[in-house]
Amino acid sequence: MANLNMNGPYRFDKETINDVITRTSAGNYALGYVDNSTFYVLYVGRADSDVKERLLQHLGEKYTEFKFSYATSPKSAFEKECQNYHDFNPRDNKIHPDRPSNSKDWKCPVCDIFDK
């Protein structure tokens, strides 16, 4: 069974985000909701430099909970975002995750979308 390998779920609000994300770092996140102790993934994303700031940009959207993890680099955040995208097929991710503009040699670890 697929696993996000993230901390949470946490309530998706500004106070909680500021309380639980304690450092500036690249990272990954999932947005969704909890029902009967199960976290349902509706969207996965990443931040190349500041996962807290990226999550704060999503406030006001329909999600009620989030999960997150820190990443060791922008590349590892990209690769994990791709893995999560393929594992969970979140309904609110309309397209495959894109690479940062300065990283055209990075590949998705799951599919060959960037080999074309």
Side-chain angles (χ1 to χ4, degrees):
M1 180 164 177
N3 188 330
L4 287 166
N5 292 315
M6 295 183 185
N7 300 313
Y10 302 103
R11 185 163 179 70
F12 186 52
D13 59 38
K14 184 176 182 177
E15 181 178 341
T16 305
I17 292 168
N18 285 326
D19 285 347
V20 300
I21 302 178
T22 57
R23 60 185 173 125
T24 301
S25 174
N28 297 84
Y29 59 92
L31 302 173
Y33 66 97
V34 172
D35 187 31
N36 292 325
S37 301
T38 299
F39 179 75
Y40 291 91
V41 178
L42 300 178
Y43 184 84
V44 296
R46 75 167 192 279
D48 295 327
S49 60
D50 189 345
V51 69
K52 179 192 287 190
E53 183 59 35
R54 188 69 185 102
L55 274 167
L56 290 170
Q57 292 172 358
H58 283 283
L59 285 175
E61 297 177 14
K62 61 187 172 240
Y63 311 108
T64 58
E65 275 85 23
F66 75 98
K67 289 186 166 199
F68 85 98
S69 61
Y70 297 114
T72 57
S73 69
K75 185 176 183 185
S76 67
F78 164 73
E79 290 171 347
K80 183 171 184 170
E81 181 188 25
C82 290
Q83 188 69 55
N84 289 336
Y85 171 81
H86 286 285
D87 285 349
F88 292 92
N89 191 26
R91 73 170 195 209
D92 293 347
N93 286 85
K94 302 301 183 201
I95 60 171
H96 190 283
D98 201 6
R99 302 173 286 198
S101 58
N102 61 345
S103 58
K104 295 302 180 191
D105 60 329
W106 293 1
K107 306 286 186 193
C108 174
V110 179
C111 73
D112 64 357
I113 189 170
F114 299 117
D115 293 342
K116 299 173 179 145

